[in-house]
Amino acid sequence: MYGKIKEHLRAELEAIEDAGLYKKERIITSSQKADIKINTGQKVLNFCANNYLGLSNHPRLIQAAKDALDSHGYGMSSVRFICGTQDLHQELEKRIADYFGTEDTILYAAAFDANGGVFEPILTSEDAIISDTLNHASIIDGVRLCKANRLRYESADMEDLEYQLKVAQKYRFRIIVTDGVFSMDGHVAPLDKIYELAEKYDAMVMVDECHSAGVVGKTGKGVSELFNLRGKVDIITGTLGKAFGGAIGGFTTGRKEIIDMLRQRSRPYLFSNSIPPAVAAAGIEVFKMLKESNDLHDKLVENTKYFKQKMLDAGFDIKPSKSAILAVMLYDAKLSQEFAAKLLEEGIYVIGFYYPVVPKEQARIRVQISAGHEKEHLDKAVAAFTKIGKELGVLK
Ligand SMILES: *Cc1c(COP(=O)(O)O)cnc(C)c1O
């Protein structure tokens, strides 16, 4: 039985490899942090994790998780509504709502599930979802799983959004959906303008803050803080897998009735296991820490500013960014791969992206800054970039 599909899959896999798109995994043998060890024995500086606040390996999170293993056990063996809700889950939900200034929060196993399960419970074929073309795959899947009418607008293009909102007036309810920070460029969604248009055309607003929460805004509380829209965004989705500790877990936070309805009808919530107590406890610790002090976020902002300026001074072309993602533009696909490989030899771990992950002729190296980086790490990276840049003729 398997023979034919085996041949078919082999051919497909070969095609993926031939196109240079086969994803190989590099093996890390240390914990996740700024200076990691890989299985070749090499020590490298990590500039490609979403570890924005440097919390992935933080002693306070590790201790909180260990304590919870002792007090609350290992797993829940249940979904939330049967016998999978502990005090820890509820406390974490409250702390997330407090952080974002929202009314209530619902936890998921991942932000992928939060986005996958957010639309179908609240919208029907009478309604419309208006989605940014560059939105994350999980939003696209969530939209697919819902019967609402689908409209798309060119990324961050407010003229196009307005046009789509006009088209969508014939439907009962409308929701505009956007990533807070777009992960390939690091640009921020123009949420101020989106909010204005939403008011004008009677639409709800949903923002996926996965790459922006902990990073963007005066105290890092995301694009809703950046644009003074705290408490005004109807739905925020986010992850515990990036700035907030980097383990696993996602959430939807926002209007009380929406969250209530998700608890009743959201399929990834109803039919998938509760997050482990240790993860919930470490999550609680994250939001405690972020309430106590803004030092980690301040350091991230300082590090990003420092690295970006040094790279611009060195002559690199970096896309405008208000986040901790910096796209070092090389434009040429092959060059981006060669550049990243040479950087790794210099002990700098970054990824080169090219078409179809980014538009044609827009190949780049994506650098992600962390509060876990020290000045000497940043200086070493800039020096390596400059050396390879000269070697490959990118810099004069
Ligand atoms: C990473 C990411 C997700 C998925 O988060 P997980 O918790 O890892 O599932 C969803 N949306 C955006 C915009 C992301 O960057």
Side-chain angles (χ1 to χ4, degrees):
M1 289 300 288
Y2 182 55
K4 269 189 189 161
I5 188 162
K6 180 173 171 167
E7 285 314 304
H8 164 74
L9 292 176
R10 280 208 168 151
E12 288 273 295
L13 286 164
E14 243 167 64
I16 293 172
E17 270 212 91
D18 292 346
L21 298 173
Y22 193 89
K23 294 176 189 67
K24 294 194 183 81
E25 297 177 2
R26 201 161 266 135
I27 312 297
I28 299 168
T29 53
S30 65
S31 60
Q32 182 64 283
K33 53 188 173 172
D35 51 330
I36 54 174
K37 227 174 122 180
I38 52 182
N39 65 344
T40 56
Q42 197 187 358
K43 283 188 177 161
V44 299
L45 293 178
N46 187 358
F47 284 90
C48 52
N50 304 309
N51 186 18
Y52 295 122
L53 295 176
L55 291 174
S56 304
N57 191 36
H58 196 284
R60 277 183 65 176
L61 271 60
I62 295 168
Q63 193 57 50
K66 281 181 179 168
D67 291 347
L69 278 170
D70 290 336
S71 62
H72 286 71
Y74 172 67
M76 288 313 298
S77 308
S78 172
V79 299
R80 287 285 299 274
F81 79 96
I82 296 185
C83 57
T85 300
Q86 286 173 326
D87 48 354
L88 295 174
H89 297 97
Q90 282 200 327
E91 185 182 346
L92 177 55
E93 287 175 340
K94 285 206 183 78
R95 283 190 180 271
I96 292 171
D98 176 54
Y99 181 85
F100 286 99
T102 45
E103 292 172 2
D104 200 0
T105 304
I106 176 173
L107 289 174
Y108 288 85
F112 205 104
D113 288 332
N115 286 330
V118 69
F119 301 109
E120 191 258 352
I122 56 174
L123 301 171
T124 71
S125 55
E126 290 179 69
D127 309 314
I129 303 169
I130 308 167
S131 178
D132 187 291
T133 46
L134 286 187
N135 277 343
H136 190 264
S138 54
I139 293 176
I140 295 169
D141 283 8
V143 172
R144 280 181 184 149
L145 292 170
C146 171
K147 293 206 167 63
N149 299 278
R150 304 161 194 178
L151 294 102
R152 302 197 316 160
Y153 62 98
E154 281 305 316
S155 190
D157 180 337
M158 293 299 100
E159 251 173 60
D160 195 16
L161 174 58
E162 181 156 20
Y163 173 77
Q164 302 300 338
L165 279 162
K166 284 178 183 160
V167 172
Q169 289 306 298
K170 59 181 183 267
Y171 300 114
R172 182 183 57 168
F173 305 129
R174 288 153 292 284
I175 186 167
I176 305 166
V177 188
T178 183
D179 279 11
V181 161
F182 294 90
S183 65
M184 284 301 144
D185 292 1
H187 68 284
V188 170
L191 195 62
D192 49 347
K193 308 226 171 59
I194 291 174
Y195 187 78
E196 259 173 45
L197 287 172
E199 286 213 301
K200 185 169 170 193
Y201 292 96
D202 188 25
M204 292 187 290
V205 175
M206 169 176 151
V207 183
D208 178 337
E209 297 258 31
C210 280
H211 278 289
S212 41
V215 177
V216 171
K218 196 164 146 285
T219 64
K221 295 194 175 68
V223 287
S224 65
E225 182 184 58
L226 180 67
F227 292 108
N228 290 319
L229 291 168
R230 236 173 117 69
K232 293 190 173 158
V233 175
D234 301 292
I235 301 174
I236 291 172
T237 55
T239 182
L240 301 175
K242 292 187 172 113
F244 302 141
I248 193 91
F251 55 84
T252 301
T253 190
R255 306 280 184 205
K256 180 180 177 305
E257 297 74 17
I258 293 175
I259 304 302
D260 257 0
M261 186 55 78
L262 295 177
R263 277 194 214 284
Q264 300 308 312
R265 297 236 176 104
S266 181
R267 293 164 71 85
Y269 182 80
L270 293 172
F271 302 111
S272 190
N273 216 34
S274 297
I275 63 168
V279 170
I284 291 168
E285 195 65 21
V286 169
F287 292 100
K288 267 190 200 164
M289 286 173 68
L290 297 182
K291 204 168 175 146
E292 282 167 20
S293 141
N294 207 51
D295 288 355
L296 290 175
H297 175 253
D298 290 343
K299 189 172 171 200
L300 172 65
V301 171
E302 186 55 40
N303 278 353
T304 308
K305 214 171 109 188
Y306 179 83
F307 180 84
K308 190 171 165 188
Q309 195 55 51
K310 291 252 154 167
M311 288 288 283
L312 290 170
D313 291 347
F316 284 103
D317 174 6
I318 296 179
K319 280 219 170 206
S321 160
K322 277 193 187 127
S323 68
I325 294 171
L326 299 172
V328 182
M329 300 307 293
L330 296 171
Y331 302 101
D332 181 77
K334 195 160 159 276
L335 178 63
S336 72
Q337 297 310 293
E338 203 179 342
F339 207 119
K342 283 186 178 282
L343 280 172
L344 190 67
E345 285 169 21
E346 298 291 320
I348 305 298
Y349 186 13
V350 287
I351 307 285
F353 290 99
Y354 58 101
Y355 182 81
V357 180
V358 295
K360 277 206 170 109
E361 320 294 321
Q362 291 282 307
R364 68 197 61 184
I365 285 176
R366 181 175 73 173
V367 177
Q368 291 175 283
I369 305 295
S370 166
H373 289 132
E374 302 302 334
K375 280 264 156 65
E376 72 221 48
H377 297 145
L378 303 172
D379 287 337
K380 201 176 160 207
V382 173
F385 262 98
T386 306
K387 180 181 166 193
I388 306 302
K390 283 180 180 155
E391 219 176 287
L392 294 179
V394 176
L395 299 178
K396 299 289 167 278

mmCIF file of all heavy atoms in Angstrom, residues 50 52 108-115 134-139 178-183 208-212 237-242 247-251, ligand 1:
data_model
loop_
_atom_site.group_PDB
_atom_site.id
_atom_site.type_symbol
_atom_site.label_atom_id
_atom_site.label_comp_id
_atom_site.label_asym_id
_atom_site.label_seq_id
_atom_site.Cartn_x
_atom_site.Cartn_y
_atom_site.Cartn_z
ATOM 1 N N ASN A 50 13.916 33.819 19.528
ATOM 2 C CA ASN A 50 12.897 34.809 19.903
ATOM 3 C C ASN A 50 12.976 35.084 21.405
ATOM 4 O O ASN A 50 11.983 35.408 22.032
ATOM 5 C CB ASN A 50 11.498 34.279 19.583
ATOM 6 C CG ASN A 50 11.349 33.877 18.126
ATOM 7 O OD1 ASN A 50 11.684 34.662 17.234
ATOM 8 N ND2 ASN A 50 10.855 32.679 17.872
ATOM 9 N N TYR A 52 13.632 37.352 23.414
ATOM 10 C CA TYR A 52 13.817 38.802 23.452
ATOM 11 C C TYR A 52 14.231 39.340 24.817
ATOM 12 O O TYR A 52 15.059 40.230 24.908
ATOM 13 C CB TYR A 52 12.536 39.503 23.000
ATOM 14 C CG TYR A 52 12.198 39.221 21.554
ATOM 15 C CD1 TYR A 52 10.986 38.644 21.194
ATOM 16 C CD2 TYR A 52 13.099 39.534 20.527
ATOM 17 C CE1 TYR A 52 10.673 38.388 19.870
ATOM 18 C CE2 TYR A 52 12.799 39.280 19.202
ATOM 19 C CZ TYR A 52 11.583 38.705 18.877
ATOM 20 O OH TYR A 52 11.281 38.453 17.568
ATOM 21 N N TYR A 108 -3.899 28.663 25.932
ATOM 22 C CA TYR A 108 -3.871 27.571 24.953
ATOM 23 C C TYR A 108 -2.510 26.884 25.037
ATOM 24 O O TYR A 108 -1.573 27.418 25.624
ATOM 25 C CB TYR A 108 -4.066 28.122 23.536
ATOM 26 C CG TYR A 108 -5.462 28.591 23.229
ATOM 27 C CD1 TYR A 108 -5.867 29.880 23.560
ATOM 28 C CD2 TYR A 108 -6.386 27.764 22.589
ATOM 29 C CE1 TYR A 108 -7.149 30.328 23.270
ATOM 30 C CE2 TYR A 108 -7.667 28.203 22.289
ATOM 31 C CZ TYR A 108 -8.045 29.481 22.635
ATOM 32 O OH TYR A 108 -9.304 29.907 22.339
ATOM 33 N N ALA A 109 -2.412 25.746 24.372
ATOM 34 C CA ALA A 109 -1.132 25.035 24.333
ATOM 35 C C ALA A 109 -0.082 25.814 23.545
ATOM 36 O O ALA A 109 1.124 25.634 23.743
ATOM 37 C CB ALA A 109 -1.322 23.649 23.716
ATOM 38 N N ALA A 110 -0.543 26.679 22.645
ATOM 39 C CA ALA A 110 0.364 27.478 21.823
ATOM 40 C C ALA A 110 -0.426 28.630 21.218
ATOM 41 O O ALA A 110 -1.660 28.562 21.118
ATOM 42 C CB ALA A 110 0.965 26.628 20.704
ATOM 43 N N ALA A 111 0.286 29.673 20.786
ATOM 44 C CA ALA A 111 -0.385 30.763 20.080
ATOM 45 C C ALA A 111 -0.973 30.256 18.762
ATOM 46 O O ALA A 111 -1.968 30.783 18.278
ATOM 47 C CB ALA A 111 0.584 31.911 19.828
ATOM 48 N N PHE A 112 -0.352 29.241 18.207
ATOM 49 C CA PHE A 112 -0.900 28.655 16.978
ATOM 50 C C PHE A 112 -2.348 28.202 17.221
ATOM 51 O O PHE A 112 -3.232 28.418 16.395
ATOM 52 C CB PHE A 112 -0.041 27.463 16.531
ATOM 53 C CG PHE A 112 -0.150 27.205 15.049
ATOM 54 C CD1 PHE A 112 0.865 27.573 14.186
ATOM 55 C CD2 PHE A 112 -1.284 26.611 14.518
ATOM 56 C CE1 PHE A 112 0.758 27.355 12.809
ATOM 57 C CE2 PHE A 112 -1.405 26.399 13.153
ATOM 58 C CZ PHE A 112 -0.380 26.761 12.303
ATOM 59 N N ASP A 113 -2.579 27.614 18.396
ATOM 60 C CA ASP A 113 -3.930 27.184 18.751
ATOM 61 C C ASP A 113 -4.833 28.371 19.093
ATOM 62 O O ASP A 113 -6.028 28.344 18.789
ATOM 63 C CB ASP A 113 -3.883 26.243 19.958
ATOM 64 C CG ASP A 113 -3.319 24.881 19.590
ATOM 65 O OD1 ASP A 113 -3.450 24.478 18.427
ATOM 66 O OD2 ASP A 113 -2.746 24.232 20.479
ATOM 67 N N ALA A 114 -4.256 29.374 19.748
ATOM 68 C CA ALA A 114 -5.050 30.563 20.081
ATOM 69 C C ALA A 114 -5.605 31.169 18.791
ATOM 70 O O ALA A 114 -6.797 31.465 18.688
ATOM 71 C CB ALA A 114 -4.193 31.576 20.838
ATOM 72 N N ASN A 115 -4.737 31.336 17.798
ATOM 73 C CA ASN A 115 -5.183 31.900 16.516
ATOM 74 C C ASN A 115 -6.073 30.930 15.753
ATOM 75 O O ASN A 115 -7.010 31.341 15.078
ATOM 76 C CB ASN A 115 -3.980 32.286 15.652
ATOM 77 C CG ASN A 115 -3.303 33.550 16.156
ATOM 78 O OD1 ASN A 115 -3.947 34.419 16.733
ATOM 79 N ND2 ASN A 115 -2.002 33.648 15.940
ATOM 80 N N LEU A 134 0.379 39.732 5.231
ATOM 81 C CA LEU A 134 1.597 39.133 5.806
ATOM 82 C C LEU A 134 1.341 38.464 7.148
ATOM 83 O O LEU A 134 2.281 38.063 7.838
ATOM 84 C CB LEU A 134 2.698 40.192 5.954
ATOM 85 C CG LEU A 134 3.382 40.652 4.670
ATOM 86 C CD1 LEU A 134 4.562 41.574 5.006
ATOM 87 C CD2 LEU A 134 3.875 39.483 3.818
ATOM 88 N N ASN A 135 0.070 38.312 7.528
ATOM 89 C CA ASN A 135 -0.216 37.698 8.824
ATOM 90 C C ASN A 135 0.351 36.289 8.939
ATOM 91 O O ASN A 135 0.512 35.578 7.948
ATOM 92 C CB ASN A 135 -1.727 37.678 9.068
ATOM 93 C CG ASN A 135 -2.242 39.000 9.619
ATOM 94 O OD1 ASN A 135 -1.462 39.818 10.102
ATOM 95 N ND2 ASN A 135 -3.539 39.204 9.532
ATOM 96 N N HIS A 136 0.615 35.909 10.180
ATOM 97 C CA HIS A 136 1.209 34.611 10.504
ATOM 98 C C HIS A 136 0.339 33.446 10.023
ATOM 99 O O HIS A 136 -0.892 33.541 9.988
ATOM 100 C CB HIS A 136 1.383 34.535 12.024
ATOM 101 C CG HIS A 136 2.183 33.363 12.492
ATOM 102 N ND1 HIS A 136 1.605 32.198 12.923
ATOM 103 C CD2 HIS A 136 3.528 33.187 12.597
ATOM 104 C CE1 HIS A 136 2.557 31.356 13.292
ATOM 105 N NE2 HIS A 136 3.731 31.927 13.108
ATOM 106 N N ALA A 137 0.991 32.342 9.702
ATOM 107 C CA ALA A 137 0.316 31.143 9.198
ATOM 108 C C ALA A 137 -0.840 30.694 10.097
ATOM 109 O O ALA A 137 -1.875 30.226 9.606
ATOM 110 C CB ALA A 137 1.332 30.007 9.073
ATOM 111 N N SER A 138 -0.682 30.861 11.405
ATOM 112 C CA SER A 138 -1.733 30.392 12.322
ATOM 113 C C SER A 138 -2.989 31.243 12.207
ATOM 114 O O SER A 138 -4.105 30.744 12.414
ATOM 115 C CB SER A 138 -1.210 30.400 13.761
ATOM 116 O OG SER A 138 -0.700 31.670 14.112
ATOM 117 N N ILE A 139 -2.842 32.511 11.876
ATOM 118 C CA ILE A 139 -4.021 33.367 11.648
ATOM 119 C C ILE A 139 -4.699 32.908 10.355
ATOM 120 O O ILE A 139 -5.924 32.762 10.305
ATOM 121 C CB ILE A 139 -3.613 34.853 11.549
ATOM 122 C CG1 ILE A 139 -3.085 35.341 12.895
ATOM 123 C CG2 ILE A 139 -4.798 35.701 11.082
ATOM 124 C CD1 ILE A 139 -2.566 36.771 12.895
ATOM 125 N N THR A 178 -4.420 41.711 12.495
ATOM 126 C CA THR A 178 -3.042 41.992 12.076
ATOM 127 C C THR A 178 -2.021 41.447 13.066
ATOM 128 O O THR A 178 -2.301 41.347 14.265
ATOM 129 C CB THR A 178 -2.820 43.523 11.917
ATOM 130 O OG1 THR A 178 -1.476 43.765 11.442
ATOM 131 C CG2 THR A 178 -3.000 44.260 13.235
ATOM 132 N N ASP A 179 -0.857 41.078 12.558
ATOM 133 C CA ASP A 179 0.295 40.844 13.427
ATOM 134 C C ASP A 179 0.692 42.195 14.031
ATOM 135 O O ASP A 179 0.538 43.228 13.365
ATOM 136 C CB ASP A 179 1.500 40.335 12.611
ATOM 137 C CG ASP A 179 1.433 38.835 12.305
ATOM 138 O OD1 ASP A 179 0.372 38.228 12.528
ATOM 139 O OD2 ASP A 179 2.448 38.292 11.828
ATOM 140 N N GLY A 180 1.223 42.196 15.236
ATOM 141 C CA GLY A 180 1.702 43.436 15.834
ATOM 142 C C GLY A 180 3.034 43.833 15.215
ATOM 143 O O GLY A 180 3.222 44.958 14.748
ATOM 144 N N VAL A 181 3.958 42.894 15.191
ATOM 145 C CA VAL A 181 5.239 43.052 14.494
ATOM 146 C C VAL A 181 5.329 41.939 13.458
ATOM 147 O O VAL A 181 5.048 40.777 13.772
ATOM 148 C CB VAL A 181 6.429 42.976 15.475
ATOM 149 C CG1 VAL A 181 7.731 42.679 14.752
ATOM 150 C CG2 VAL A 181 6.564 44.276 16.254
ATOM 151 N N PHE A 182 5.701 42.305 12.252
ATOM 152 C CA PHE A 182 5.836 41.301 11.186
ATOM 153 C C PHE A 182 7.249 40.744 11.230
ATOM 154 O O PHE A 182 8.226 41.488 11.205
ATOM 155 C CB PHE A 182 5.506 41.934 9.838
ATOM 156 C CG PHE A 182 4.061 42.338 9.743
ATOM 157 C CD1 PHE A 182 3.658 43.604 10.133
ATOM 158 C CD2 PHE A 182 3.098 41.439 9.314
ATOM 159 C CE1 PHE A 182 2.319 43.969 10.084
ATOM 160 C CE2 PHE A 182 1.760 41.789 9.265
ATOM 161 C CZ PHE A 182 1.370 43.062 9.653
ATOM 162 N N SER A 183 7.325 39.420 11.288
ATOM 163 C CA SER A 183 8.581 38.805 11.719
ATOM 164 C C SER A 183 9.706 38.852 10.694
ATOM 165 O O SER A 183 10.859 38.691 11.056
ATOM 166 C CB SER A 183 8.326 37.350 12.110
ATOM 167 O OG SER A 183 7.930 36.610 10.978
ATOM 168 N N ASP A 208 -2.173 40.149 16.878
ATOM 169 C CA ASP A 208 -1.319 39.050 17.323
ATOM 170 C C ASP A 208 -0.009 39.666 17.807
ATOM 171 O O ASP A 208 0.781 40.178 17.018
ATOM 172 C CB ASP A 208 -1.083 38.087 16.150
ATOM 173 C CG ASP A 208 -0.162 36.930 16.520
ATOM 174 O OD1 ASP A 208 0.623 37.070 17.476
ATOM 175 O OD2 ASP A 208 -0.214 35.901 15.818
ATOM 176 N N GLU A 209 0.186 39.639 19.114
ATOM 177 C CA GLU A 209 1.353 40.319 19.708
ATOM 178 C C GLU A 209 2.537 39.375 19.946
ATOM 179 O O GLU A 209 3.417 39.683 20.761
ATOM 180 C CB GLU A 209 0.943 40.978 21.045
ATOM 181 C CG GLU A 209 -0.107 42.085 20.915
ATOM 182 C CD GLU A 209 0.472 43.496 20.989
ATOM 183 O OE1 GLU A 209 1.637 43.690 20.572
ATOM 184 O OE2 GLU A 209 -0.252 44.395 21.460
ATOM 185 N N CYS A 210 2.583 38.270 19.235
ATOM 186 C CA CYS A 210 3.649 37.283 19.501
ATOM 187 C C CYS A 210 5.060 37.871 19.454
ATOM 188 O O CYS A 210 5.881 37.586 20.320
ATOM 189 C CB CYS A 210 3.539 36.112 18.531
ATOM 190 S SG CYS A 210 2.284 34.916 19.016
ATOM 191 N N HIS A 211 5.350 38.678 18.413
ATOM 192 C CA HIS A 211 6.700 39.254 18.300
ATOM 193 C C HIS A 211 6.794 40.648 18.914
ATOM 194 O O HIS A 211 7.874 41.226 18.944
ATOM 195 C CB HIS A 211 7.129 39.342 16.830
ATOM 196 C CG HIS A 211 7.675 38.066 16.283
ATOM 197 N ND1 HIS A 211 8.903 37.556 16.653
ATOM 198 C CD2 HIS A 211 7.157 37.189 15.397
ATOM 199 C CE1 HIS A 211 9.116 36.424 16.007
ATOM 200 N NE2 HIS A 211 8.067 36.175 15.241
ATOM 201 N N SER A 212 5.674 41.192 19.367
ATOM 202 C CA SER A 212 5.689 42.565 19.888
ATOM 203 C C SER A 212 5.551 42.619 21.403
ATOM 204 O O SER A 212 6.074 43.539 22.035
ATOM 205 C CB SER A 212 4.594 43.405 19.220
ATOM 206 O OG SER A 212 3.387 42.671 19.071
ATOM 207 N N THR A 237 -3.832 38.183 20.752
ATOM 208 C CA THR A 237 -3.291 36.840 20.960
ATOM 209 C C THR A 237 -1.786 36.968 21.182
ATOM 210 O O THR A 237 -1.155 37.932 20.747
ATOM 211 C CB THR A 237 -3.567 35.893 19.767
ATOM 212 O OG1 THR A 237 -3.060 36.485 18.567
ATOM 213 C CG2 THR A 237 -5.054 35.641 19.599
ATOM 214 N N GLY A 238 -1.238 35.991 21.881
ATOM 215 C CA GLY A 238 0.191 36.059 22.187
ATOM 216 C C GLY A 238 0.731 34.689 22.551
ATOM 217 O O GLY A 238 -0.027 33.718 22.650
ATOM 218 N N THR A 239 2.039 34.647 22.743
ATOM 219 C CA THR A 239 2.700 33.372 23.035
ATOM 220 C C THR A 239 3.548 33.475 24.296
ATOM 221 O O THR A 239 4.074 34.545 24.621
ATOM 222 C CB THR A 239 3.593 32.948 21.846
ATOM 223 O OG1 THR A 239 4.189 31.687 22.153
ATOM 224 C CG2 THR A 239 4.703 33.956 21.577
ATOM 225 N N LEU A 240 3.678 32.370 25.004
ATOM 226 C CA LEU A 240 4.661 32.273 26.085
ATOM 227 C C LEU A 240 5.974 31.723 25.529
ATOM 228 O O LEU A 240 6.932 31.520 26.260
ATOM 229 C CB LEU A 240 4.137 31.350 27.193
ATOM 230 C CG LEU A 240 2.813 31.771 27.840
ATOM 231 C CD1 LEU A 240 2.351 30.707 28.830
ATOM 232 C CD2 LEU A 240 2.958 33.121 28.542
ATOM 233 N N GLY A 241 5.990 31.482 24.233
ATOM 234 C CA GLY A 241 7.133 30.832 23.596
ATOM 235 C C GLY A 241 8.185 31.778 23.025
ATOM 236 O O GLY A 241 9.154 31.328 22.418
ATOM 237 N N LYS A 242 8.003 33.075 23.215
ATOM 238 C CA LYS A 242 9.018 34.009 22.709
ATOM 239 C C LYS A 242 9.554 34.843 23.869
ATOM 240 O O LYS A 242 10.282 34.295 24.703
ATOM 241 C CB LYS A 242 8.425 34.839 21.573
ATOM 242 C CG LYS A 242 8.147 33.969 20.343
ATOM 243 C CD LYS A 242 7.726 34.742 19.114
ATOM 244 C CE LYS A 242 7.660 33.805 17.917
ATOM 245 N NZ LYS A 242 6.306 33.601 17.399
ATOM 246 N N ALA A 247 9.114 28.759 26.551
ATOM 247 C CA ALA A 247 8.870 27.315 26.632
ATOM 248 C C ALA A 247 7.758 26.909 25.666
ATOM 249 O O ALA A 247 8.039 26.430 24.556
ATOM 250 C CB ALA A 247 8.504 26.919 28.059
ATOM 251 N N ILE A 248 6.541 27.084 26.069
ATOM 252 C CA ILE A 248 5.381 26.698 25.258
ATOM 253 C C ILE A 248 4.170 27.379 25.870
ATOM 254 O O ILE A 248 4.183 27.756 27.036
ATOM 255 C CB ILE A 248 5.222 25.150 25.248
ATOM 256 C CG1 ILE A 248 4.237 24.663 24.194
ATOM 257 C CG2 ILE A 248 4.791 24.626 26.605
ATOM 258 C CD1 ILE A 248 4.852 24.339 22.869
ATOM 259 N N GLY A 249 3.120 27.496 25.101
ATOM 260 C CA GLY A 249 1.892 28.086 25.624
ATOM 261 C C GLY A 249 1.517 29.342 24.879
ATOM 262 O O GLY A 249 2.389 30.087 24.411
ATOM 263 N N GLY A 250 0.220 29.551 24.740
ATOM 264 C CA GLY A 250 -0.271 30.757 24.079
ATOM 265 C C GLY A 250 -1.511 31.246 24.787
ATOM 266 O O GLY A 250 -1.983 30.607 25.735
ATOM 267 N N PHE A 251 -2.011 32.396 24.345
ATOM 268 C CA PHE A 251 -3.197 32.942 25.011
ATOM 269 C C PHE A 251 -3.959 33.878 24.091
ATOM 270 O O PHE A 251 -3.410 34.410 23.122
ATOM 271 C CB PHE A 251 -2.795 33.686 26.286
ATOM 272 C CG PHE A 251 -1.768 34.773 26.070
ATOM 273 C CD1 PHE A 251 -2.140 36.047 25.656
ATOM 274 C CD2 PHE A 251 -0.418 34.503 26.245
ATOM 275 C CE1 PHE A 251 -1.184 37.038 25.446
ATOM 276 C CE2 PHE A 251 0.556 35.497 26.036
ATOM 277 C CZ PHE A 251 0.158 36.757 25.632
HETATM 278 C C1 LIG B 1 5.460 32.523 16.813
HETATM 279 C C2 LIG B 1 4.144 33.056 16.372
HETATM 280 C C3 LIG B 1 2.965 32.333 16.553
HETATM 281 C C4 LIG B 1 2.970 30.938 17.128
HETATM 282 O O1 LIG B 1 3.301 30.937 18.466
HETATM 283 P P1 LIG B 1 3.431 29.514 19.222
HETATM 284 O O2 LIG B 1 3.080 29.820 20.624
HETATM 285 O O3 LIG B 1 4.830 29.078 19.029
HETATM 286 O O4 LIG B 1 2.456 28.603 18.575
HETATM 287 C C5 LIG B 1 1.776 32.916 16.180
HETATM 288 N N1 LIG B 1 1.733 34.155 15.619
HETATM 289 C C6 LIG B 1 2.856 34.867 15.411
HETATM 290 C C7 LIG B 1 2.771 36.216 14.796
HETATM 291 C C8 LIG B 1 4.091 34.340 15.764
HETATM 292 O O5 LIG B 1 5.204 35.031 15.525
#
